[in-house]
Amino acid sequence: MKGVCYIKLVANKMDIKQQRNTFTGKLGFVMTAAGSAVGLGNIWRFPYLAVKDNGGVFILCYIILAVTFGFTLLTTEISIGRKTHQSSLTAYAEINSKWGFLGTLASLVPVIILPYYCAIGGWVIKYFTLYLTDPKQDTIQDNFFSNFIAERYSPIIFAIIFLTLASFIVFSGVNKGIEKYSKILMPILFVLIIGIAIYSLTLSHTNQDGITKTGLDGLKVYLIPDFSNMTIKDFFIILMDAMGQLFFSISVAMGIMVTYGSYVKKDVNLMQSINQIEIFDTIVALLAGLMIVPAVYIFSDDGMSAGPGLMFISLPKVFNSMGSIGNFIGLMFFLMVLFAAITSVVSVMETIVSSIIDKFKISRKKSALIVTIYALIGSTIVCMGYNVLYFEVNLPNGTTGQILDILDYISNNCLMPLVAILTCILVGWIVKPKIIIDEVTQGGYKFTRKNLYIIMIKYVAPILLVVLLMQSIGIISL
């Protein structure tokens, strides 16, 4: 009787794997994975770091790390997902039964990120609607952004609107929702970034002192490396900045790529797809800098900021300085940011939804409903963190934060590097790299950077990640 039950259990597991939704093809997978990777980090942090870290030096480090460090982590997570046909919560236990805890850690990251990403998405919709409906808007006022997020109800309403858009896509499923809309939104996003970047290079402005600055001048600041007076310590700081940006940019160590990998068909050339994701993400990051740096260089005397300060305070002033066309450029910019935010939050939601489905064997609609309710409650609390629930906490990395900053610190600074380190240990030393190599080469496809992958997953990536973790939590200061 026990034997019969065991056979039925195995058969049920196999049936679940066979019924699992999959992307219709390579294009859908690449667009969806790229949509996850291309998020707010590309837009509001990459340009700032490029300017701070000697322009071309940072970009060179970023590109080198993308084809080594980023390639290694992407390949590992996507392969684990496709091999196991499981989301992150249950996939690691399929690889090694003693390492199921790693799946729990990885799944905590999107759970923590989702509420505050919805709140930020609400901010984006607020600014998009302002540029759409009120060309005379007051976004250029110094206190406009801080006053808006301090309002009691408005940020919550816009967060709900944003969540509704993302939830609709996730409720629609892998093929009719996530893949379908990624194929629509990502090309539009790409065209918008290219269009704004080209326009940014054509700009020219003469300030009150009679000094004329052009977009090409800003391009030089962005791209030309400056090695003057650079020490080894300076270069190491730039290297860690580039690695940190890449690490957070490609959506690894948060369960997303494992989940999306589980939807990839066995006949898809993984190596080719991963290369395309790398290229797409890197090009968008470079174009984001090309779009923002020249414009800020020309019209802003306050220098380059990062994060919400760049997107919601500095850039509206830049758009206003452009004259009448500035309203249209601002509208297109926030439309592009909205698309980037939606594709990113959809991937975060889908990771949680898929984990619940795999773990508890419930329907997509029930799982998506649970996640939507959680996101609604969580994003409301995050929004209230700037008014009725406002408080300040000194974080270990030396910054001061509220609820949103605390969640961001726990997920990005602590959990993500830790998950990545443990993944390197698991694959590099416990189950061995062969398990990934066999998955990549399935179907006779070549693993073009196999030797590089082995060295990176066993030695280089873990060391770099330990340094990044120590820096992120404030143990070492560069």
Side-chain angles (χ1 to χ4, degrees):
M1 185 69 179
K2 288 182 179 180
V4 173
C5 291
Y6 175 76
I7 291 172
K8 287 183 177 179
L9 179 63
V10 172
N12 287 338
K13 284 187 176 181
M14 290 177 65
D15 186 54
I16 289 169
K17 288 185 179 181
Q18 289 172 354
Q19 293 179 3
R20 188 174 188 81
N21 288 323
T22 59
F23 294 121
T24 57
K26 185 180 72 174
L27 177 62
F29 167 54
V30 171
M31 287 292 101
T32 304
S36 170
V38 176
L40 297 180
N42 291 82
I43 299 167
W44 72 18
R45 193 164 181 264
F46 187 93
Y48 162 75
L49 289 176
V51 172
K52 180 180 86 72
D53 290 335
N54 297 311
V57 179
F58 171 84
I59 293 172
L60 179 62
C61 289
Y62 185 90
I63 292 173
I64 293 173
L65 286 169
V67 299
T68 54
F69 177 78
F71 154 77
T72 301
L73 298 181
L74 270 177
T75 301
T76 300
E77 295 202 357
I78 292 171
S79 298
I80 288 174
R82 193 175 77 163
K83 179 176 180 60
T84 61
H85 291 284
Q86 294 287 296
S87 57
S88 58
L89 182 59
T90 51
Y92 290 95
E94 293 271 331
I95 297 294
N96 186 297
S97 59
K98 295 180 180 180
W99 282 70
F101 71 93
L102 181 52
T104 303
L105 286 176
S107 299
L108 279 176
V109 177
V111 170
I112 295 172
I113 288 176
L114 181 59
Y116 74 79
Y117 217 127
C118 288
I120 296 172
W123 301 349
V124 175
I125 289 185
K126 167 69 173 180
Y127 273 67
F128 172 72
T129 54
L130 282 173
Y131 277 94
L132 182 64
T133 61
D134 184 12
K136 302 293 184 182
Q137 34 69 30
D138 298 320
T139 56
I140 60 172
Q141 303 301 319
D142 288 336
N143 296 325
F144 180 85
F145 176 66
S146 58
N147 289 340
F148 161 64
I149 62 175
E151 293 177 15
R152 183 165 295 188
Y153 301 111
S154 183
I156 296 175
I157 293 171
F158 282 103
I160 292 173
I161 295 172
F162 178 81
L163 175 60
T164 301
L165 294 173
S167 296
F168 170 77
I169 296 174
V170 174
F171 265 96
S172 300
V174 175
N175 303 130
K176 295 180 179 180
I178 298 167
E179 180 178 1
K180 175 183 175 181
Y181 288 99
S182 293
K183 286 180 177 179
I184 296 171
L185 294 180
M186 289 310 296
I188 297 174
L189 183 149
F190 195 61
V191 170
L192 287 173
I193 291 180
I194 292 175
I196 298 173
I198 292 173
Y199 177 74
S200 182
L201 293 177
T202 66
L203 294 171
S204 178
H205 177 68
T206 303
N207 62 21
Q208 295 178 345
D209 298 326
I211 300 174
T212 300
K213 295 180 180 180
T214 68
L216 293 179
D217 293 330
L219 179 64
K220 294 176 183 177
V221 172
Y222 177 52
L223 291 180
I224 296 177
D226 180 9
F227 293 99
S228 59
N229 301 319
M230 181 180 292
T231 63
I232 295 177
K233 179 182 178 180
D234 293 334
F235 179 78
F236 189 71
I237 291 172
I238 294 172
L239 181 67
M240 294 308 298
D241 281 347
M243 188 178 73
Q245 173 62 26
L246 176 70
F247 179 67
F248 302 130
S249 171
I250 58 177
S251 294
V252 293
M254 51 200 304
I256 292 174
M257 290 304 170
V258 174
T259 300
Y260 281 173
S262 72
Y263 300 145
V264 179
K265 294 179 179 179
K266 289 293 186 180
D267 60 353
V268 170
N269 186 336
L270 276 190
M271 189 53 44
Q272 190 178 77
S273 299
I274 291 166
N275 290 342
Q276 291 169 351
I277 295 168
E278 284 181 284
I279 292 169
F280 199 99
D281 180 70
T282 303
I283 289 175
V284 170
L286 293 172
L287 285 173
L290 199 62
M291 174 178 62
I292 292 172
V293 173
V296 174
Y297 172 79
I298 293 170
F299 293 106
S300 177
D301 295 324
D302 300 328
M304 180 74 70
S305 58
L310 172 64
M311 185 174 296
F312 300 110
I313 299 174
S314 299
L315 284 176
K317 293 180 180 179
V318 170
F319 298 143
N320 182 68
S321 301
M322 293 179 182
S324 57
I325 198 172
N327 288 320
F328 176 74
I329 298 298
L331 176 66
M332 291 298 100
F333 173 80
F334 281 105
L335 176 63
M336 178 272 299
V337 175
L338 177 59
F339 286 170
I342 288 175
T343 54
S344 292
V345 86
V346 162
S347 67
V348 173
M349 286 190 71
E350 175 60 21
T351 300
I352 307 173
V353 168
S354 183
S355 292
I356 294 174
I357 293 172
D358 290 341
K359 182 68 175 179
F360 301 104
K361 306 299 184 289
I362 64 176
S363 69
R364 165 170 287 275
K365 288 186 177 181
K366 288 181 180 178
S367 180
L369 180 61
I370 292 169
V371 175
T372 300
I373 293 172
Y374 163 71
L376 175 63
I377 296 171
S379 59
T380 300
I381 293 173
V382 171
C383 290
M384 293 172 66
Y386 291 99
N387 40 74
V388 295
L389 298 180
Y390 182 85
F391 61 88
E392 291 187 352
V393 172
N394 293 322
L395 299 172
N397 62 354
T399 62
T400 301
Q402 294 78 44
I403 293 176
L404 187 152
D405 304 292
I406 294 171
L407 294 175
D408 182 66
Y409 176 80
I410 294 171
S411 59
N412 285 8
N413 291 47
C414 302
L415 283 178
M416 286 174 64
L418 178 61
V419 168
I421 292 168
L422 292 173
T423 301
C424 289
I425 294 172
L426 172 63
V427 175
W429 298 97
I430 307 299
V431 299
K432 307 301 181 182
K434 187 177 184 299
I435 194 171
I436 303 299
I437 295 169
D438 288 346
E439 185 63 31
V440 172
T441 56
Q442 193 171 102
Y445 295 114
K446 290 184 178 181
F447 196 144
T448 53
R449 286 175 273 178
K450 183 175 70 174
N451 292 332
L452 172 66
Y453 174 81
I454 294 172
I455 294 172
M456 291 296 299
I457 197 69
K458 295 186 72 172
Y459 307 107
V460 181
I463 294 172
L464 290 175
L465 285 164
V466 168
V467 176
L468 179 63
L469 176 62
M470 294 175 68
Q471 181 188 16
S472 298
I473 63 179
I475 294 178
I476 61 174
S477 178
L478 299 176

